[in-house]
Structures are given as structure tokens and as C-alpha cells.
Amino acid sequence: MIRKEDALEYHSRGRHGKIEVVATKPCYTQRDLSLAYTPGVADPCREIEQDPLTAALYTARANLVAVISNGTAVLGLGDIGPLAGKPVMEGKGVLFKRFADIDVFDIEVDEKDPDRLADIIKSLEPTFGGINLEDIKAPECFHIEERLKAEMDIPVFHDDQHGTAIISGAALLNACELAGKDLDKVRVVFNGAGASGIACANHYVSLGVKLENIILCDSRGVVYKGREKGMNKYKERFASDTSCRTLAEAFVDADVFCGCSVANTVTQDMVRSMAANPIIFAMANPDPEITYPDAVAARDDLIMATGRSDYPNQVNNVLGFPFIFRGALDVRARAINEDMKVAATRALADLAKEPVPESVAQAYGGEEVSFGRAYIIPKPFDYRVLLWEARAVAKAAMETGVARIQIDLDEYGKRLEASLSRSRAIMRHVITRASERPKRIVFPEGRAPRILYAQRVIRNERIGTPILLGEVDVIEAHAQEHNIDINGVEIINPRSSEWAEEFAQEFYQLRQRKGVTLRDARRLMQTRHYFGLMMVRTGKADGLVAGASMHVPELLRPTFEVFPTPSGSRHVAGMTMVVLKDDILFFADTTVNIDPTAEELADIACSCAREIRSLDITPRVALLSFSNFGSVDHPNTRKVRRAVELIHEREPDLVADGEMQADTAVCPDILEETYSFSRLKERANLLIFPDLQSGNIAYKLIQKLSTAEIVGPLMVGLERPIQLLQVGSYTVRDIVNLAAFTVVEAQGKMQPELFARKDDSPAESPQPAVPN
């Protein structure tokens, strides 16, 4: 329960309110000022005057939506006026930005006359790419939207009408499927003939519900043919030829109830009077027409949705408006038409049938959800809604001729995914490459729930062929417990495998002069990690991902025993991808080498630089210290200085420099003004730390104290594709990401020979360090 004190403190702490305007271009110098304003700003003005469409290129208009209200129907508060409604409009802006990266100006207008309000909104068309009408009372809201849609050449959308209709429409499609009901035969009762009730009824007809099967009720009872009191042209369409006069009478034998009214208007007796497998959408806020506990107590065969997050199937408008506008804006749509709304509804309905990612479940307390009576629409924090809904809306806009531009939908889907985060953009690139030639990836911790979830994603996305190690019956039991399909997945028990003796003999030959007896080798091959590593060594698997139950040092020791001489790179290292809002950085070493020498630092830098190139990113390397280019003479700084010299000798074309302080490495202004001689002319994107503790501390501080996303650490320099999870701090997506890197490495695109030094003398394996 949200307390009043909590809500007021949330809105007042720090910068008051919930939004601010942030400049997207620098304005630090006189030149910046001259470009941002006069005289430089005149040039884009002239271009737009010649071609108005270039406003999308030179201004923020194409991604800017106005949230406009006159405060006459604010939430459940009623006509509280435009100023009192401003917190709601700011909140709407937050949701637009958070869920679809759409910028918003909230505009509160002190005008109740519908035509004058429409005139004001129409005059704002040059400023915005779209208009979201909010909290304007019915029936005026219908007239205002109709006028604006007819007179404006940008999308106009009244969310109070269409948002609820689109989301509940998706729930209707899936509920009817589960209940075995046909849309063209269901009898639907609506309670509430305001903005959302009328819009829901209209939208349900677009989805296939027959007009003659609808009974609409308002505060006076049933809207029937011949009724005179409390009528308007919008209700008139749904006037029924029926003898029913009360809501209770309308409920008898109804298949569906759609509530857009007020709390406590539906009784348990009404629910009991409905047809078999009734569908109830009690969407009044904050309290529904009937509570979920009361409804399920009356009927155990019902499917129910409400507007509340503490009950199953929340009909939340945030599932609609951000993504509908995203799709409309991205094709420069002139309107949001009925086909686009139907496309949004069907996209949501289809998405609800897909397996739910672990990251979504974690956002809701870790609950496992799957398509069924308690899950008929996606969760609001399901990131996939953007990918499904915006794409469907854009497609419908192009097909119906309201889009100004045509886009490639496959490329658009990739761009949407990239917009979720920079790390998703990089990983989509890696996953695409992995899916070109999938490889066999062995998972020693085959019964771990997250490994089981991940193998499903890996197979669905055709990243690779997972092989699970462990006892077959135990893995199958865990999969069944978590409702995970493992049909067709290869499961190998090392204790009973015919390969165990073969592996033991080979490992004994490999380690017999390192104190390992044949008996030791046979014992070790009974363990899943040694067995998995030997599968990779002997070519029975192409790569390995492990770490669900063991710390990195525990995993590195058997790895170095099975692959004792890393090929092409003298030292194995851990490289962490740090994804910032406007850039991607790589940190190394964050996992393996405690106090590397100058030679080892050079090896690590060159190996990581080549790995970065494999991601189609040009490496710019900074070797870090507490000194800038000899400003401090100390053994620690001389070590880093020597590493830079070795890098320049080995790879003269690699942009690398140091020693330098961290701020110098990431601030081009410092380099340009003070160290113009440096090979680095831009911000470094590969930061080589002088020792393990500084690298490990740095990335974990950034991870916890900023909004940066972390991918990895990725193991660099191993002979074969081996990636290790950070025990206790990994997700299903982490496993999938590492599997994709492993597959690409196994394909040869990130093979060790790419990291080859000019001398290939053998080296001792490093001693693993690092705790997680």
C-alpha cells in the first residue's frame, strides 16, 4: 500500500516534480553557443522552411509528444482542474520516456469549452510529432479527438479511451481462447459509458464481437432503444433492443463483463448468474467493480482481470500508449487508426503466449508465469512489449497508408532491441553471428534452474546446441518442476558415460608429470566440470559455459589443467564490458592476473584489443596508472610505461597509449589541451588496469553506483571457447550472452590465433585469483 507521506516525499525530494529538460548537444564553449543559437541555428531554420520534413532531422519534433489535459476527469479524482492534474501529466511523461524513450512536454490548459480547447491543441502541431489527450471528461473528449484527428496531420490519441480498450482487447482474445468461446458469439455487458467504456465497446466490435451481442450500462442502468434520459450520440450506437433495465438483469447468461465504472457495483450473485467460464474485466480504479477474492469465491471457473497490480492480469495502459506512439512516430504516421490499434491488441495477445524471460519474472518478485487463466496479458515491465507492439503498429501504419516513410521491419526490430540498451545492441550482433553457424555448448551445471531456462532461449534463438551434464532423472525432474521443455536436449551423466575412461586416459597422459595418477584422472572424470572440459578438448563439444555453482578461481584451475598452454596469448585475462548511456567501455584485467608484469599487461592489452575488433569496434587503448606520461617516477608507473612500449613494438597500428590517469583516458578535452602528443585523440574504450584489484574494484563500483550495464567478464586468451559465470550474480540473459560469445569464438571468428603474438613461445598458466 502506498502511503500519502511516501507519495508526497517521492514528488518533492531533490529536484521537485518528476521531469526535467536535458540538452542533447554540448554547450560549453563559445563555438557551441554559436551553433546552438545564433548565428548557427539559422541554417537548420532555412532548411526546414524549404522542406518541412527536415524538421525530423534538425529538431526533436519527431520524437516529441504533447500530453495535454484540461483536468476535467483526472483519475478517480474528477474535475480538479489543470494545475492539480499536472502531477498526473508529468507521470505520463515519465512512462513515455521509461518505456519507449519518447520525449514529452506536459501541457495543462485552463479551458473547458471543447471547441476552444481543440483550437488550442491544433495550433501546437508545429511543435509536436504526436498528441496524447489525457483526463478530459466525456462526452467532450469524443468531440475533441474527432475534430483533431480530422484537422491535424499528426497522430492524436486519447489514452483514456483507447488505452484501456487495446489492453483489455488483448485480454479478451486470450480469455476467449482459454474459455473456449467464439468472439462472434459472446454476450458482453459493459458498465460505464464514459470515455473508456465506449472505446472498449467500439474496439471489441473491431475485434469481432457482434454489436447486437453487447449491452451497455451507465449510472441509469441499461442503455436501451428508446431511452431518452442521459443519452448522447456515442451511447446511441450501443442502445440495445432488450427488456433488461438493470445491470443485474444484463448479467444473466452473459459471457463477458467489462467494467469501466466505479467500485462495488457487481455482486457475487451477478457473477453466479453468468454463463459457464465467465470472463470478468473489473477495471475501475483504484478499486474494481468486484474484488478478485469475492469474484473467485463466487465462481471457480472464471477468468478475471483488473486494473490492480496485486491481482492477476493487470490491465495497465502503460502496455499501450508508449509503444503505440513509438511505432507511429518511427514511420512518421499521420494518424493512429483502428488498424493500428487492432495490431497493438493482437501483438499483446500473441506475446502473452510466449515464454516469460527470467528478467521479467524477477521484476515481479521471481514469480513464474506462463500463459493461462492467471496470465492472459503481458506484464508491464516485460521489455519485449516494445519489440512486439511498436513493430506491429508500424507495420499496420505502412499497410494502411498513414505512414510517411517505409521502413524495413526486420531492421526496425533490431533497432528497437538496440534502443532497450547498448548492451542489447552488441549482444544482438553477437547472437546474429552465432545463429549463422550454431555450435555445441556443454553446461556442466545441467540441473541449475537458470541453466535450464537459458538452454530454452539458446535453442529458440538458434544460438547453439546445448548439452547438459548431470543425472538424467534429476535434470528432468528439475525441468518438470519449473515447466521447462527439454525435449530433444542431450543430457550426459559423466558417472555412466562411455567417454569417461577415454577422457581419464587422455587427462592422465596430459598430467602424469604433474602429480596426477590414473586413479586421480578417473576420479576427476566423474566430476561434471572436468568431464565438460574434456568434451571440449576432444571435440565432442565446441565450447563450455560454467560457473552456476563454483567461483571463478575454482573453475580456472581445472581449465588450465585441461588446457595448460594457452595458444596465441601468453596470459588469460578477464575483460568486462561496461555499457554506458552514450558509450561502451571495456575493462581488463578484472578476473585473473593479480599483479601482472609489463610483459603481461602488453599481452592482455593486445589480446583484448583483438577481441574488441571481432565485435566490429575499433579499440582505443589506455593503460592506466596514477601518473600521466611520466609525471611520477615509481616502479608501478615504470611498469605501465614499459607495457606501452611493448605494445607499440608488437602492434604499431594499434591506437594505445599511457601511462595515464583514468580521467585523462576518458576525457578527450584533457588529451587535446594537455597531452596533444598522445596517440589517443578520442576517449579510450579499452582501459587496461595496472593490477587486478583496481580493475575489479572499478567495474563493481560502476555496476553498483551507476546505471551502467555490465556484460561479462569475458575470458580472453584461452585455447578453446570457455566462458565462466560469476556465481551468485548472473541471470538467464547472462548465460545466453556468454553462450553466444562462446559459439562465435568456436566458429573461428574469435579464435585464439587472432590474438597471436609475434613470438609464440610457451608460457606458464597464470594462477587464478579473484573472488566473485
Side-chain angles (χ1 to χ4, degrees):
M1 179 65 70
I2 300 296
R3 299 183 308 151
K4 175 182 177 181
E5 293 81 2
D6 295 334
L8 294 179
E9 193 273 336
Y10 174 84
H11 284 78
S12 63
R13 71 168 178 254
R15 183 187 287 267
H16 298 169
K18 300 190 286 286
I19 58 175
E20 65 176 335
V21 175
V22 178
T24 60
K25 302 295 186 294
C27 192
Y28 303 114
T29 66
Q30 180 60 45
R31 182 175 185 276
D32 292 341
L33 184 60
S34 297
L35 289 169
Y37 200 55
T38 184
V41 73
D43 291 313
C45 290
R46 294 188 187 100
E47 292 294 319
I48 295 169
E49 182 185 21
Q50 294 297 317
D51 181 3
L53 291 179
T54 60
L57 177 63
Y58 298 121
T59 76
R61 180 176 185 262
N63 195 53
L64 186 61
V65 167
V67 173
I68 301 180
S69 177
N70 65 356
T72 53
V74 180
L75 298 178
L77 304 174
D79 185 356
I80 61 174
L83 180 59
K86 186 174 177 63
V88 177
M89 308 314 133
E90 284 191 359
K92 200 79 168 189
V94 171
L95 300 181
F96 266 109
K97 189 66 178 178
R98 163 63 179 81
F99 288 96
D101 196 26
I102 293 172
D103 299 316
V104 163
F105 288 159
D106 64 290
I107 300 177
E108 294 75 33
V109 183
D110 189 9
E111 181 56 74
K112 292 187 176 180
D113 181 270
D115 283 310
R116 285 203 293 266
L117 180 57
D119 289 338
I120 292 169
I121 297 170
K122 181 183 175 183
S123 71
L124 297 173
E125 182 168 349
T127 303
F128 297 99
I131 303 292
N132 183 95
L133 301 174
E134 194 75 20
D135 291 349
I136 302 171
K137 73 182 181 72
E140 288 89 337
C141 62
F142 302 119
H143 173 71
I144 292 167
E145 188 189 41
E146 286 174 356
R147 258 201 64 188
L148 294 176
K149 289 176 71 173
E151 298 176 18
M152 298 183 77
D153 205 29
I154 58 175
V156 177
F157 184 83
H158 186 202
D159 185 49
D160 299 306
Q161 293 184 57
H162 310 298
T164 304
I166 289 166
I167 314 310
S168 68
L172 177 70
L173 294 178
N174 283 339
C176 285
E177 178 180 327
L178 290 167
K181 298 177 183 287
D182 297 327
L183 275 176
D184 61 350
K185 296 177 183 176
V186 292
R187 291 185 59 248
V188 186
V189 175
F190 289 88
N191 194 40
S196 58
I198 294 289
C200 284
N202 281 319
H203 191 61
Y204 288 12
V205 171
S206 296
L207 293 175
V209 174
K210 296 295 186 183
L211 184 61
E212 58 267 27
N213 291 339
I214 290 176
I215 294 180
L216 177 68
C217 300
D218 61 11
S219 58
R220 298 174 183 270
V222 172
V223 175
Y224 57 88
K225 288 186 183 297
R227 199 182 98 171
E228 297 180 357
K229 291 185 178 180
M231 295 295 288
N232 57 50
K233 66 177 183 178
Y234 306 102
K235 294 181 184 179
E236 202 65 56
R237 183 191 182 201
F238 296 99
S240 304
D241 186 8
T242 177
S243 60
C244 296
R245 293 295 182 266
T246 67
L247 179 62
E249 291 171 353
F251 251 83
V252 177
D253 292 329
D255 294 288
V256 180
F257 168 70
C258 179
C260 301
S261 54
V262 294
N264 304 318
T265 51
V266 174
T267 67
Q268 288 183 314
D269 284 339
M270 292 182 190
V271 174
R272 293 188 187 101
S273 73
M274 295 179 73
N277 296 307
I279 298 166
I280 296 178
F281 299 157
M283 299 180 291
N285 262 322
D287 297 311
E289 287 82 358
I290 183 171
T291 66
Y292 181 77
D294 284 349
V296 297
R299 293 286 291 266
D300 60 6
D301 61 341
L302 64 73
I303 298 173
M304 186 169 181
T306 71
R308 294 179 60 117
S309 60
D310 52 349
Y311 296 149
N313 301 317
Q314 183 189 18
V315 177
N316 190 322
N317 283 18
V318 79
L319 283 168
F321 66 86
F323 315 108
I324 293 165
F325 269 99
R326 180 75 280 156
L329 292 174
D330 288 340
V331 294
R332 309 286 186 267
R334 294 182 172 86
I336 294 173
N337 58 31
E338 191 62 28
D339 290 276
M340 295 161 73
K341 297 170 195 171
V342 170
T345 290
R346 295 195 181 281
L348 289 170
D350 291 341
L351 177 57
K353 300 173 187 177
E354 294 292 310
V356 178
E358 182 203 25
S359 59
V360 176
Q362 287 179 341
Y364 293 89
E367 63 175 299
E368 293 183 18
V369 291
S370 59
F371 181 62
R373 289 175 178 260
Y375 179 69
I376 56 176
I377 45 177
K379 298 283 189 179
F381 281 100
D382 190 334
Y383 66 87
R384 300 171 302 167
V385 175
L386 173 66
L387 311 180
W388 285 62
E389 190 172 356
R391 188 178 186 276
V393 169
K395 181 174 184 287
M398 291 190 292
E399 290 176 345
T400 56
V402 298
R404 288 187 176 87
I405 62 174
Q406 298 291 310
I407 61 174
D408 182 294
L409 288 171
D410 291 334
E411 289 301 315
Y412 180 53
K414 294 175 184 177
R415 182 154 60 89
L416 288 172
E417 186 167 13
S419 73
L420 291 169
S421 70
R422 295 292 301 279
S423 65
R424 289 190 186 278
I426 291 292
M427 287 314 307
R428 175 47 53 193
H429 174 69
V430 174
I431 288 170
T432 298
R433 285 167 53 170
S435 64
E436 293 171 2
R437 284 189 292 136
K439 298 294 182 179
R440 300 162 297 169
I441 305 300
V442 61
F443 294 89
E445 293 110 335
R447 70 179 185 181
R450 291 177 186 173
I451 297 293
L452 291 170
Y453 280 114
Q455 64 80 28
R456 181 175 64 188
V457 177
I458 291 165
R459 288 194 295 154
N460 288 345
E461 297 193 19
R462 297 188 295 277
I463 293 169
T465 302
I467 303 170
L468 307 179
L469 299 187
E471 298 175 355
V472 176
D473 56 342
V474 173
I475 292 175
E476 289 178 343
H478 276 71
Q480 185 175 5
E481 177 185 349
H482 294 280
N483 194 29
I484 302 169
D485 178 22
I486 59 171
N487 185 41
V489 176
E490 184 176 5
I491 303 173
I492 299 174
N493 186 347
R495 295 180 179 274
S496 58
S497 172
E498 60 184 15
W499 295 336
E501 180 63 23
E502 174 191 341
F503 291 171
Q505 292 290 342
E506 181 161 344
F507 186 73
Y508 171 63
Q509 293 298 319
L510 186 66
R511 303 292 296 177
Q512 59 187 348
R513 293 184 180 274
K514 300 288 185 179
V516 174
T517 66
L518 182 57
R519 181 179 178 181
D520 293 332
R522 286 171 174 155
R523 175 178 53 80
L524 290 173
M525 289 311 114
Q526 300 295 302
T527 66
R528 290 171 282 121
H529 291 87
Y530 275 94
F531 188 92
L533 289 164
M534 288 301 297
M535 285 183 67
V536 178
R537 181 180 177 87
T538 58
K540 292 178 171 60
D542 301 301
L544 175 142
V545 175
S549 60
M550 295 176 66
H551 291 282
V552 169
E554 298 174 280
L555 292 166
L556 284 175
R557 291 188 182 95
T559 301
F560 293 144
E561 290 176 4
V562 174
F563 303 106
T565 307
S567 169
S569 176
R570 178 165 296 201
H571 283 85
V572 176
M575 181 176 71
T576 298
M577 185 190 303
V578 179
V579 185
L580 307 172
K581 181 178 181 180
D582 60 349
D583 206 354
I584 296 175
L585 304 180
F586 297 86
F587 289 9
D589 176 13
T590 57
T591 307
V592 181
N593 300 280
I594 296 175
D595 187 15
T597 64
E599 179 87 9
E600 292 164 354
L601 283 176
D603 288 337
I604 292 167
C606 292
S607 295
C608 291
R610 293 189 179 100
E611 186 111 4
I612 291 172
R613 283 197 193 101
S614 72
L615 299 175
D616 296 332
I617 297 174
T618 301
R620 300 183 299 275
V621 188
L623 282 86
L624 303 184
S625 181
F626 57 87
S627 168
N628 276 318
F629 302 102
S631 63
V632 178
D633 187 33
H634 183 275
N636 288 350
T637 62
R638 289 197 292 270
K639 176 182 78 169
V640 179
R641 214 172 301 148
R642 176 56 183 158
V644 174
E645 293 171 357
L646 292 170
I647 293 169
H648 290 169
E649 292 171 8
R650 296 174 186 173
E651 296 201 26
D653 295 332
L654 178 61
V655 178
D657 217 336
E659 84 287 14
M660 68 179 71
Q661 295 176 1
D663 57 342
T664 303
V666 298
C667 297
D669 290 347
I670 298 178
L671 288 167
E672 181 180 351
E673 294 170 8
T674 310
Y675 307 106
S676 58
F677 56 83
S678 173
R679 292 192 180 193
L680 279 174
K681 304 301 181 186
E682 304 174 63
R683 171 193 275 187
N685 56 12
L686 173 55
L687 305 183
I688 304 299
F689 289 84
D691 54 37
L692 180 62
Q693 63 179 346
S694 57
N696 192 265
I697 290 169
Y699 99 78
K700 292 199 170 182
L701 278 174
I702 288 178
Q703 184 178 31
K704 297 302 181 183
L705 299 181
S706 76
T707 58
E709 300 174 74
I710 302 296
V711 177
L714 306 172
M715 302 308 298
V716 177
L718 285 167
E719 181 180 351
R720 298 291 179 87
I722 310 293
Q723 293 296 342
L724 306 178
L725 299 162
Q726 298 284 297
V727 66
S729 60
Y730 67 93
T731 65
V732 170
R733 180 48 58 179
D734 292 330
I735 300 168
V736 173
N737 289 346
L738 288 183
F741 273 110
T742 305
V743 169
V744 172
E745 189 176 350
Q747 291 170 344
K749 296 176 181 176
M750 290 157 53
Q751 283 285 12
E753 55 265 26
L754 293 177
F755 314 131
R757 285 160 32 90
K758 290 186 178 177
D759 86 59
D760 56 358
S761 54
E764 288 298 315
S765 301
Q767 290 302 307
V770 181
N772 287 299

